[in-house]
């Protein structure tokens, strides 16, 4: 196993080398003189020479690449070309935290909700519950992220009573549904107490949890907090709406993908064997069928996390979050601060490559057939 992991890590070296080359040549692909583009038409010759020297434009390209790569390996990505002229690595470090927390929270919400909905939809394939989930997912995937963010701000911040009492209606419907199932099971199996008592207990527990959420309904802020000294509850409360806006379309994609894979897995011989042995439905779904159905989901989740980290600029702008995407666009691209763009693109590209490597390695643990070279 360690040998396989080592080989995969060795294969990353040429990929990372190509990533560094592409990132380095960003400045050279800019039409004209990068120094003049950065400083504008009013720059003096002395300013232009100073910028060229700081960027290393007066050196041969191979020497420039070697100096830049050596600095990047030690965490030195140069200084910002715009005031306050801070080191780029400090800017990236300060902005990466909020973006990572937001992306991780959005991915966690997507994963958690889509696993439940995907398994449920596959188990109830073809009936009303499956059609309801499928229709809801098509609606989610049709809503642009920025529109979802604006709608969440309007309803959860300025019209808080609407989602809160809508949640109360959902609590009542779920409780009534579980009570109905309990009564139906009791009428079918009057002698089997465990058959219908389970639904009664489930109705009480689920309804109690949903009602507790209604009572503890928080006041969501208009802007997201990016302070590290806030406690974890305040951070979750401030990041909930932007994370939910990011997660909405991902929930739809993950749910549909998992449903399709689960439907195929539920027809496999080992699942049919578990059913023939009288195994509980929850065990068949979550222990036998979910694991072999999760490969596509994990692959897409890893790609999604990399895309979320680099593509949160719109959400960060709407919720006032000083994250990595906003830094690259607002402080890098728009003011033509190319060292910030260069450093930001390098960090995002390397992170994306490493995430895919981790996903590739995780397959070895999920499926023994891959470890043995049978797939």
């Amino acid at each position: 196993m360690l040998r396989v992991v080592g080989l995969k890590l060795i294969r990353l070296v040429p990929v990372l080398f190509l990533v560094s080359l592409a990132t380095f040549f960003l400045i050279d692909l800019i039409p004209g003189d990068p120094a003049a583009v950065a400083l504008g038409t009013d720059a003096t010759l002395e300013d232009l020479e100073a910028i060229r020297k700081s960027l290393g434009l007066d050196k041969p390209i191979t020497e420039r690449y070697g100096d830049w790569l050596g600095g990047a390996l030690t965490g030195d990505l140069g200084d910002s070309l715009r005031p306050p002229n801070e080191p780029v690595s400090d800017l990236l470090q300060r902005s990466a935290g909020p973006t990572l927390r937001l992306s991780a929270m959005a991915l966690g919400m997507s994963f958690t909700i889509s696993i439940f909905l995907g398994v449920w939809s596959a188990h109830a394939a073809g009936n009303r519950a499956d059609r309801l989930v499928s229709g809801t997912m098509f609606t989610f995937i049709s809503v642009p992220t920025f529109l979802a963010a604006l709608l969440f701000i309007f309803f959860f911040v300025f019209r808080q009573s609407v989602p809160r009492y809508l949640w109360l209606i959902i609590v009542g419907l779920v409780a009534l549904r579980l009570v109905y199932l309990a009564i139906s099971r009791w009428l079918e199996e009057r002698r089997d107490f465990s058959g219908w008592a389970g639904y009664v207990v489930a109705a009480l527990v689920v309804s109690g949890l949903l009602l507790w959420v209604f009572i503890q309904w928080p006041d969501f802020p208009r802007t997201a907090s990016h302070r590290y000294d806030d406690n974890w509850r305040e951070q979750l409360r401030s990041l909930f709406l932007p994370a939910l806006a990011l997660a909405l379309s991902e929930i739809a994609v993950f749910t549909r993908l998992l449903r399709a894979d689960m439907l195929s897995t539920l027809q496999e011989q080992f699942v049919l064997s578990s059913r023939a042995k009288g195994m509980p439905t929850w065990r068949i779904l979550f222990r036998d069928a979910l694991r072999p159905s999760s490969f596509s989901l994990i692959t897409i989740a890893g790609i999604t996390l990399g895309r979320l980290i680099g593509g949160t600029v719109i959400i960060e702008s709407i919720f006032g979050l000083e994250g990595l995407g906003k830094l690259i666009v607002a402080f890098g691209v728009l003011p033509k601060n190319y060292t910030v763009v260069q450093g930001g693109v390098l960090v995002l590209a390397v992170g994306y490559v490493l995430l895919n490597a981790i996903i590739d390695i995780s397959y070895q643990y999920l499926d023994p057939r891959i470890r043995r070279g049978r797939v």
Side-chain angles (χ1 to χ4, degrees), residues 166-209:
L166 181 62
W167 182 267
L168 185 61
I169 294 174
I170 295 174
V171 172
L173 292 176
V174 170
L176 289 174
R177 176 62 178 173
L178 291 174
V179 170
Y180 168 77
L181 292 174
I183 295 174
S184 300
R185 182 61 64 90
W186 178 73
L187 292 175
E188 294 174 1
E189 306 172 3
R190 295 189 179 186
R191 296 181 180 179
D192 186 5
F193 176 77
S194 61
W196 60 271
Y199 284 101
V200 174
V201 174
L204 293 175
V205 172
V206 173
S207 301
L209 288 175

Side-chain angles (χ1 to χ4, degrees), residues 5 11 15 27 33 66 83 94 132-133 138 153 158 173 189 222 228 278 308 329 332 339 347 351 369:
V5 173
R11 291 171 187 168
V15 177
I27 290 183
D33 187 354
R94 191 162 58 243
L132 176 63
V133 171
F138 282 122
I153 291 174
F158 300 110
L173 292 176
E189 306 172 3
R222 168 62 181 83
Y228 288 97
L308 287 176
V329 174
T339 53
V347 169
R369 296 174 299 174

Side-chain angles (χ1 to χ4, degrees), residues 33-36 38-39 43-59 79-81 85 339:
D33 187 354
L39 294 181
T44 63
L45 291 176
E46 291 78 9
D47 294 335
L48 291 173
E49 289 299 326
I51 289 295
R52 291 191 186 100
K53 188 173 181 179
S54 66
L55 294 176
L57 297 176
D58 56 340
K59 299 178 182 179
D79 295 332
S80 169
L81 301 180
N85 303 110
T339 53

Side-chain angles (χ1 to χ4, degrees), residues 1-7 360-366 371:
M1 184 63 192
L2 292 176
R3 179 175 175 273
V4 174
V5 173
L7 288 174
D360 196 17
I361 293 172
S362 69
Y363 290 156
Q364 314 295 319
Y365 296 93
L366 289 173
R371 292 200 298 268

